[in-house]
Amino acid sequence: MKLRGVAALSALALGLAACGSGTEAGGGGGDITIGLAVSTLDNPYFVALKQGAEKAAAELGVRLTVVDAQNDATNQVNQVQTFTTQGVRAIIINPVDSKQAGPAAKAAENATIPLVAVDRSVDDGKVASEVASDNVQGGTLAAIELGRATTGEVVHLQGIPGASASRDRGRGFEQGLNSGGIKVVASQPADFNRAKGLDVMTNLAQANPGIKGVFADNDEMALGAIKALGDRAGKDVQVVGFDGTPDGLKAIEEGTLAATIAQQPDVLGRKAVEQAVKAAKKEPVQEVVDVEVKVVTKKNLAEFKK
């Protein structure tokens, strides 16, 4: 590698260090650097997504630089803008907020750097490829499964309001409600966070003492809800989550979580890197990449435990 290439990569590392936590993975080959802007690494789901991306980067011989927005949409825009000034060949964004990711997409477009969205969409901006689970289908499956597990009044713990995953899972959940005898009596955001899920569920349970079920837009909030419900969880109140995280699977095994809709975050990360590398090389990319979701219950739990 030429000296000026080394200098450019050194500048990249220094510049990103000021924007968030950064890690690099690569096979040491090629001259392609991909930037990955993750919404938060304070969530095992996104840690798995990052690990899948890092493994793909290593196998493809490209350099991957990861930054953590810590669920701050403004911080994430700044991180993407920094990427555009540091010579990356493609950018992958896992938006904190799909609506607020527009300026990040515009910055990439202005710099003629291809942008790949992963797990969540970008509402207003140009992307070369979108890699995501079918969250609408997942929400529908969650409603069907909750309807199988219980009947009566249920509550819905929503994710970050501006995130496409929250909107799509909520839309799918509403579509699936007619499949069973459940009725939503309260919905409230808990921002995909376990501690907030605990707080919100505590308040909702007090306001709605007769509830029989909970759907949470991710396993972290579901686990918070389980803690708030105490001995009621898995007995007179059934909880369904989303993601299929190790802690979620453990809760299914213990009987406190009735089901979760398993995504494949490592596959999402891998496919996002694959599309980003193709875009960086100006090769044809797949505009939409769908990754399958599956219902996990105690019956098929063994298939998902690693």
Side-chain angles (χ1 to χ4, degrees):
M1 183 179 291
K2 296 180 181 179
L3 287 176
R4 61 182 181 183
V6 174
L9 289 175
S10 298
L12 172 63
L14 289 172
L16 291 172
C19 300
S21 59
T23 61
E24 294 182 349
D31 60 353
I32 294 177
T33 299
I34 307 294
L36 170 58
V38 183
S39 59
T40 177
L41 291 175
D42 188 27
N43 182 322
Y45 174 82
F46 292 114
V47 172
L49 187 151
K50 176 181 80 80
Q51 291 170 343
E54 289 174 335
K55 185 175 180 180
E59 292 174 359
L60 293 171
V62 300
R63 185 180 297 274
L64 181 71
T65 302
V66 183
V67 290
D68 177 4
Q70 299 179 328
N71 272 332
D72 185 324
T74 300
N75 188 33
Q76 188 170 60
V77 170
N78 292 336
Q79 290 172 336
V80 171
Q81 289 173 336
T82 298
F83 276 144
T84 68
T85 66
Q86 299 294 336
V88 300
R89 295 275 296 277
I91 297 170
I92 302 169
I93 184 171
N94 160 236
V96 172
D97 186 302
S98 298
K99 293 180 181 178
Q100 296 183 52
K106 191 64 178 177
E109 183 180 1
N110 288 342
T112 64
I113 298 173
L115 183 71
V116 173
V118 63
D119 188 63
R120 301 171 183 170
S121 64
V122 176
D123 283 357
D124 184 19
K126 181 180 178 182
V127 296
S129 179
E130 181 178 314
V131 181
S133 303
D134 189 336
N135 285 300
V136 175
Q137 178 199 28
T140 300
L141 291 173
I144 293 170
E145 200 57 41
L146 188 57
R148 286 173 178 164
T150 191
T151 58
E153 298 180 342
V154 303
V155 299
H156 179 195
L157 298 186
Q158 301 164 318
I160 296 172
S164 61
S166 299
R167 296 198 307 264
D168 291 346
R169 291 171 195 177
R171 182 155 57 95
F173 185 65
E174 290 174 3
Q175 291 174 3
L177 285 174
N178 59 3
S179 64
I182 56 175
K183 176 184 177 181
V184 177
V185 292
S187 299
Q188 190 172 330
D191 299 342
F192 292 127
N193 182 274
R194 189 182 302 199
K196 289 184 179 179
L198 167 61
D199 291 342
V200 172
M201 188 68 242
T202 298
N203 293 332
L204 289 178
Q206 290 174 350
N208 303 275
I211 61 167
K212 295 297 182 180
V214 179
F215 169 53
D217 280 356
N218 78 340
D219 286 346
E220 286 296 287
M221 292 187 297
L223 293 166
I226 287 169
K227 187 172 182 179
L229 290 166
D231 291 341
R232 299 181 66 193
K235 295 178 182 177
D236 64 317
V237 181
Q238 300 300 322
V239 182
V240 172
F242 205 116
D243 281 346
T245 63
D247 283 351
L249 299 180
K250 182 179 178 183
I252 291 176
E253 186 174 31
E254 293 172 347
T256 54
L257 187 67
T260 184
I261 308 302
Q263 298 193 84
Q264 302 181 70
D266 55 336
V267 177
L268 288 170
R270 166 176 291 279
K271 291 188 176 292
V273 168
E274 290 172 353
Q275 295 304 313
V277 171
K278 287 182 179 180
K281 293 180 176 180
K282 302 189 184 304
E283 297 175 355
V285 300
Q286 191 172 336
E287 291 185 7
V288 178
V289 180
D290 291 321
V291 176
E292 187 180 11
V293 296
K294 298 180 180 180
V295 177
V296 187
T297 65
K298 237 176 185 176
K299 292 181 180 179
N300 64 345
L301 180 61
E303 299 174 24
F304 296 87
K305 294 194 72 177
K306 298 179 181 179

